[in-house]
Amino acid sequence: MTESTTEKLTATLIDRAAALDAADPLAHVRDRFLLPEGVVYLDGNSLGALPAAVPPAVEDAVHRQWGTDLIRSWNNNGWWEAPIRTGDAIGRLIGAAPGQVVAGDSTSVQLFNTLLAAARLRPGRRLLLTDPDHFPTDQYIADSVGRLLGLEVRRVPARDAAAVLAAEGADVAVAAYAPVDYRTGELYDTAALTAAAHTAGALTHWDLCHAAGAMPIGLDAIKADFAVGCGYKYLSGGPGAPAFAYVARRHQQGFDHPVTGWHGHAEPFAMSGTYAPAPGITRARVGTPPLLSLVALEAALTAYDGVDMESVRAKSLALTGFFQECADSLLDGLGFTMATPREAARRGSQVALRHPEAYPLVAALTARGVIGDMRAPDLLRFGFNALYLTYADVLHAVRELRDITSTGAHRATAYQQRPTVT
C-alpha cells in the first residue's frame, strides 16, 4: 500500500470516526468514568476503567461507615443486605428478575459452588460437558467437580455441544460454557445451547465474565439455570471486585452447594452448629463479603443508570466493526489476521488479531498509551466498553499499531522481556 493511498484511507476513516462520535447516543456516559489523559483504554475486558462514582463511595465507606459507625454499619448502612442489593443491580443488566443474583466471593468460589450444585440436581447422569477453549479456571473447577462427584468431564467445543447433547443427552448432567470466547471474542448462541440442554434433560451453567455489562444476556428469557461472572471487567467494579452468581428461582429450593457458610444460613445469628439454608437466593451467600470492594462494585454499577443494554450492544458492535474496518484498511500486508468473527451475531465486545510478534506489539502500544493485552501464543486482544470508548479512540489505536509494525518499533529490546502479567 502506497503512502498516498494510506493517507487517503486515513482521512476517510478520520471523517467516519468524527461522524460516528457526533451521532453517538451514549457519548455522555463517558463522563461517568475517570479516564487518564492521553490513554486509549482497550483492556476493559480484563479490568474496567474507574467509574467516577467509586472514589467517593469508597471514601465514605472507609471514613464514615467503618471509621465512625464501626460495626453498627452492618445495620445502619446496609452492609448486611449489600450482596443481595448489588446482585439485583447486576441482575438488571443480565436479564434476571430480582432475587436470583447474589454478589460476593471470587469467581472461582461462585463457579465451584454453582457448578457442583447444578450437577447434584441431576443425579444418575455421568457426563459434565465443558469447552476445551474455556478459561483455564473453568476447566480446572469442572475437573474438580468431576472428581468429587464421580463424573466424566468431557471437553466439547461450544459449536459441537448441541450435537453431543442430541446424541448422548440422557447421560449429561450439566453443560458448562461461556457466551464469549475469552481469547477470540467469538459469541455463541446461549439460547440455542440452553434449549438443547433442556431438551436432553440437562442443565446449563454459563460463565458471563466476558459478557456481563457488554450485551443483553436475558438469563430469564432463555430459561438459564445457573451463571456466574466477575465484577471487574465490563462492570468496572475494580481489581478483585466480587463475583456474582445467578441461580434461577426454580432451582433455589433444591440448591445444595458445597461451601455452606454462615451468611447463607436461615438464622445466621442463632449460631447453630447445623446448617439450615436460608430461603431464596440468600442461601447462595457464603461468608462475610469484602465490603469495601462490594461498595466499589455497587457504586460502579451506577454508570449504567438510564442506559439500556440494547444501546450498549449496538454501540459495542459498531465499535468492534469499525475496529475491524480500520484494521482491514491500515494493517493490510503487515502480518495480521483477524481471529474474531466479522458477523455481528457471532462477535462479542472484543476483537483479537493474530500476529507472530503479539507480545512486543502490545508492549509497544502500551508504551504509546494504547492499552490492550495479549494471550499466548499470538493473540492481540482489544476490549471495547461502549460506555467510555469513542470511535476516534478506535482509529487512533489502529494507526499506532500500523506505525509500530511498519517501523519495527516493537523490536526494541525494552519490549522483548515479558512481565508476569501480560
Side-chain angles (χ1 to χ4, degrees):
M1 185 186 302
T2 67
E3 192 64 30
S4 174
T5 302
T6 301
E7 289 177 359
K8 290 179 181 178
L9 285 171
T10 301
T12 299
L13 291 169
I14 289 173
D15 290 342
R16 286 274 320 286
L20 288 166
D21 281 328
D24 177 13
L26 295 181
H28 66 285
V29 183
R30 180 179 171 92
D31 293 335
R32 299 178 185 180
F33 291 84
L34 301 176
L35 299 165
E37 193 71 30
V39 170
V40 172
Y41 192 61
L42 301 178
D43 208 13
N45 54 320
S46 284
L47 174 68
L50 174 62
V54 169
V58 172
E59 183 177 9
D60 178 69
V62 171
H63 292 291
R64 182 183 64 83
Q65 298 179 34
W66 177 15
T68 300
D69 292 354
L70 298 166
I71 201 165
R72 293 170 292 184
S73 285
W74 283 104
N75 294 314
N76 296 348
N77 291 302
W79 284 5
W80 185 264
E81 297 81 14
I84 305 301
R85 189 175 62 243
T86 306
D88 283 344
I90 294 170
R92 289 192 291 273
L93 304 180
I94 60 176
Q100 297 179 103
V101 181
V102 63
D105 301 295
S106 70
T107 308
S108 299
V109 170
Q110 301 283 24
L111 177 60
F112 178 66
N113 252 3
T114 51
L115 185 56
L116 195 146
R120 280 177 169 170
L121 286 172
R122 290 295 181 267
R125 292 178 173 237
R126 63 180 184 82
L127 289 178
L128 192 166
L129 304 184
T130 196
D131 197 329
D133 296 324
H134 228 338
F135 190 77
T137 294
D138 292 81
Q139 298 189 58
Y140 305 159
I141 289 179
D143 287 339
S144 179
V145 169
R147 289 193 301 273
L148 287 168
L149 298 184
L151 301 176
E152 175 191 341
V153 178
R154 185 179 299 179
R155 286 164 168 76
V156 177
R159 65 185 62 87
D160 300 327
V164 172
L165 284 162
E168 301 181 61
D171 290 328
V172 177
V174 184
Y177 287 86
V180 179
D181 186 311
Y182 79 97
R183 304 158 312 148
T184 66
E186 181 173 0
L187 177 66
Y188 301 110
D189 190 336
T190 54
L193 186 50
T194 299
H198 289 173
T199 297
L203 299 176
T204 54
H205 187 287
W206 292 104
D207 181 337
L208 306 180
C209 285
H210 288 269
M215 63 189 68
I217 299 167
L219 290 179
D220 287 350
I222 67 171
K223 296 181 171 56
D225 300 298
F226 297 91
V228 299
C230 64
Y232 51 79
K233 298 184 189 297
Y234 295 102
L235 299 181
S236 299
F244 64 87
Y246 164 89
V247 181
R249 199 178 312 279
R250 64 187 179 278
H251 295 311
Q252 290 175 7
Q253 185 64 32
F255 184 68
D256 181 14
H257 53 306
V259 184
T260 48
W262 73 296
H263 276 232
H265 195 282
E267 296 182 84
F269 287 90
M271 301 299 174
S272 169
T274 303
Y275 183 74
I281 193 63
T282 299
R283 72 178 55 198
R285 294 178 63 166
V286 182
T288 305
L291 252 302
L292 296 181
S293 291
L294 197 55
V295 165
L297 174 58
E298 186 174 13
L301 295 172
T302 63
Y304 287 91
D305 286 355
V307 176
D308 69 89
M309 292 308 300
E310 294 293 344
S311 297
V312 172
R313 176 62 171 160
K315 183 178 176 183
S316 165
L317 286 174
L319 287 167
T320 54
F322 187 57
F323 183 94
Q324 290 182 318
E325 179 185 346
C326 292
D328 290 343
S329 299
L330 300 179
L331 302 181
D332 185 42
L334 295 177
F336 294 93
T337 56
M338 187 66 62
T340 303
R342 297 179 184 277
E343 304 95 317
R346 295 182 56 222
R347 193 167 69 239
S349 201
Q350 71 181 59
V351 176
L353 301 173
R354 293 192 185 279
H355 194 283
E357 297 176 286
Y359 176 72
L361 286 168
V362 167
L365 269 176
T366 299
R368 296 191 182 194
V370 178
I371 302 177
D373 67 17
M374 68 85 60
R375 288 294 178 263
D378 61 354
L379 284 176
L380 297 86
R381 295 195 316 169
F382 303 98
F384 297 85
N385 190 317
L387 300 189
Y388 54 75
L389 283 173
T390 69
Y391 297 91
D393 289 337
V394 171
L395 177 56
H396 178 73
V398 178
R399 291 179 71 185
E400 290 292 337
L401 185 55
R402 174 183 171 77
D403 184 70
I404 289 167
T405 311
S406 59
T407 62
H410 60 293
R411 297 195 176 102
T413 303
Y415 306 133
Q416 307 310 309
Q417 186 65 41
R418 300 191 185 194
T420 301
V421 179
T422 59

